[in-house]
Amino acid sequence: MRAFQTLIGRDLRLAVRVGGEAMTLVLFFIMVAVIVPFAIGPDRPQLMRLAPGIVWIAAFLSMLLGLDRLFRSDDEDGSLLLLRHSVLPLEAVVAAKVIAHWLVTAVPLLLATPVLALLLSMSWAQWVGTVLALLAGTPALTSFGALGAAVTVGLRRGGLIAPVLILPLAIPVMIFGVGMLDPLAGSGALLFLVALSLLVTVFSPFAAALALRAAGE
Amino acid sequence: MSASPTFAQARLRVRGLTVRRGERLLFADLAFELAPGEVLLLRGSNGTGKSTLLLTLAGVVRAEGGSVEITGPDELPQMHLLNYQHGIKARLTAAENLGFWRRMYGETGVSVAEALQAVGIGGLAGLEAGYLSSGQVRRLSLARLLVSYRPLWLLDEPSAALDRDGEALLGRLIDAHREAGGMAVIATHHALPLANGGGITTLVLGDSP
Amino acid sequence: MTVDTVKQPNWFSRLAHPGYFLTWTRYLVLPLAIATILAFAIGLWFALFNSPEDYQMGDMVRVMYIHVPNAWLSQLVYGTMAVSALGTLVWRHPLADVANKAAAPLGAAFTALALYTGALWGRPTWGTFWEWDGRMTSTLVLLLIYLGIVALWRAFDDQLKAGRIVAIVTLVGALNIPVIKFSVDWWNTLHQPASVFTAEGPRMPPSILTPLLVMMLAFTLLFGLLMLVRMRTEILRRRADTLSRQAALAGGAK
């Protein structure tokens, strides 16, 4: 357990020390929301209606943008190879890295949502709903991302192919995440989203570890 | 911290090991055995599979046939691997890097400060690893072998980037490891300054008759 | 007395050995091709000349005889790939990689055809080429998954490593497809409560069912034939690569 925390701690410390990464993601997240009114017009009621969807698209794209770094730097400097012989099984190593990655990519986005709420004239209820949906859905996105990153870790062009692989698989997250805010949907969507997130989060470290082992061979 | 444990029960047994890279057969039916205090030197020209053999012993590359059996005092992984990649983060200090691996590999060896002292970079503990020279990085990597006790060392060209002092240091570290009952498989082109205590065998790869 | 201790490989592993596979499938390609052509001839004759028009759609209903078999294959091919992925991961069988690699572009092509014929059919029925109908949308996502897998195969230089990694992605996709289907259906009912797609009922008169079944057989045979040819080609290509690498190594050793 101590090794597990150490690994999370190292990744967080590296993220802080290397810096800028979380900032860049947040910047990208906000920029996507900023360009939407230019694309569809500054009509406030329309923006308000589309706001949850826009936030989800922005979050989706930001998470995809960041996932490549999940294993790549550790693979390049040999840490990943050495971590295979640590006291933790590789599955736990992946899980720790996924948690750290979620903390440095998803949490800053959550903190930045008020800016988007303001820009897209969201109502209070809409904002609360969106934050809840992101809180429930981003673990699934990060876990799918871990799978994509693990599968492409040995590829130099991996940064391009991982999002293309992951995006179709992650569509249900988007559907339930946005669907949650639909007045017709009821509470079913949140339940589905939480169930999906739990399943994917539990399952993906095993699949990702399998892929990392295959890539190392 | 307990006194340095002994590896009296540790063994490495390799039987009938056959490894293929792609469809190329690197070696077939390789068998050897190491007991505490014994060292196996791997020699052979480039491309004969020295690094691959080390990775196979580490369980990273899957063998087509045969078995590798590493027994040690407990159920945890029993080997250290040292190759050209060091797993060192440029933005963490030398001590932070070493402390990380100490926790990940089990805190069974000497302390971080002692290990850095032992490899001769005790004064650089607080320096970010990105500012270390490649020889110093290699020394930091060697310190990783000291902070967690593991009976089997798998070393791939350990003297690369080391100066004359560094090579002597490497020899001393390996000797001390043997003394404590440890084992090592070392792929190297250089003659390592090891003490003559017997128990050193050489395996030449790639010269199949 | 001597005891034969060499384990005899069972019939399956003998049939599935790449070299042996090449031998026995050589005699299979031509009969399979003939059967495919025959099935298409019969099926198309039924479909075009010997089945009733729809009282609403007229002759357009005949697109169904192409559309439904392709939709069926879009699922069958993924099933094949999932089984071969298990073969790669669990039994590490060399032929399983080849099967997955051979099937992925075929699956993408059949799925694309299913979407294309669906759109052709949709135009007179719905008045639009594309409708975000649950079934169409899931099929579109399936096509994206196929294309992702094809792209992943092409991204790897080392095809042996690629086989295991693609197999993992294929299996994750197989687990995820029902979830996607469920979520898309859920999303669909949220946005348009009444389903547009009511053309096919479970009760079909034999005059429609016969040509449909024959066409499904024909397309399945076509898949089998293409799969076989692609697998043979892939095995031969890998052999050629091996030989050229061995030649290069021998040249280098001189």
Side-chain angles (χ1 to χ4, degrees), chain A residues 2 74 77 82 85 87, chain B residues 87 89 96 103-105 150:
Chain A
R2 188 168 162 145
D74 274 346
D77 67 16
L82 294 176
H85 306 113
V87 294
Chain B
K89 296 289 177 191
E96 282 170 338
R103 293 240 182 112
M104 295 309 290
Y105 269 52
R150 292 192 168 187

Side-chain angles (χ1 to χ4, degrees), chain A residues 2-3 6-7 10 13-14 17 73-79 81-88 216-217, chain B residues 21 58 60 77 79 81 83 85-87 89 91-92 96 100-101 103-107 128 144 150:
Chain A
R2 188 168 162 145
T6 303
L7 185 52
R10 179 196 73 151
R13 185 181 291 177
L14 276 172
R17 199 128 341 146
S73 71
D74 274 346
D75 183 56
E76 278 167 359
D77 67 16
S79 299
L81 183 65
L82 294 176
L83 283 171
R84 292 176 63 161
H85 306 113
S86 75
V87 294
L88 293 177
E217 243 176 57
Chain B
R21 260 317 205 198
V60 173
M79 93 291 285
L81 181 67
N83 65 3
Q85 289 179 309
H86 301 287
K89 296 289 177 191
R91 294 304 306 272
L92 298 182
E96 282 170 338
F100 169 70
W101 288 115
R103 293 240 182 112
M104 295 309 290
Y105 269 52
E107 296 161 81
E128 284 195 0
R144 178 165 53 81
R150 292 192 168 187

Side-chain angles (χ1 to χ4, degrees), chain A residues 31-121:
Chain A
M31 276 178 182
V32 172
V34 166
I35 60 167
V36 169
F38 294 120
I40 64 171
D43 180 20
R44 282 179 66 88
Q46 193 184 17
L47 278 179
M48 190 177 161
R49 202 165 51 80
L50 297 177
I54 295 168
V55 173
W56 265 95
I57 290 177
F60 223 69
L61 295 179
S62 314
M63 302 289 281
L64 289 178
L65 196 72
L67 73 87
D68 192 45
R69 250 150 292 160
L70 191 44
F71 297 117
R72 187 163 303 263
S73 71
D74 274 346
D75 183 56
E76 278 167 359
D77 67 16
S79 299
L80 202 56
L81 183 65
L82 294 176
L83 283 171
R84 292 176 63 161
H85 306 113
S86 75
V87 294
L88 293 177
L90 190 56
E91 287 77 8
V93 168
V94 173
K97 290 195 69 68
V98 166
I99 292 171
H101 191 73
W102 184 80
L103 289 173
V104 296
T105 56
V107 172
L109 296 193
L110 282 170
L111 295 179
T113 47
V115 181
L116 265 65
L118 208 70
L119 289 174
L120 301 172
S121 46

Side-chain angles (χ1 to χ4, degrees), chain A residues 129-154:
Chain A
T130 306
V131 168
L132 268 182
L134 283 174
L135 209 55
T138 44
L141 285 186
T142 307
S143 302
F144 274 123
L147 191 70
V151 157
T152 55
V153 75

Side-chain angles (χ1 to χ4, degrees), chain A residues 109-195:
Chain A
L109 296 193
L110 282 170
L111 295 179
T113 47
V115 181
L116 265 65
L118 208 70
L119 289 174
L120 301 172
S121 46
M122 286 168 110
S123 68
W124 176 254
Q126 257 187 330
W127 175 71
V128 172
T130 306
V131 168
L132 268 182
L134 283 174
L135 209 55
T138 44
L141 285 186
T142 307
S143 302
F144 274 123
L147 191 70
V151 157
T152 55
V153 75
L155 295 173
R156 252 162 270 112
R157 289 168 288 173
L160 198 60
I161 200 161
V164 168
L165 275 179
I166 290 313
L167 214 138
L169 297 180
I171 283 175
V173 181
M174 177 84 125
I175 288 180
F176 293 129
V178 180
M180 243 184 85
L181 297 172
D182 200 301
L184 296 172
S187 62
L190 179 62
L191 277 179
F192 290 140
L193 189 60
V194 170

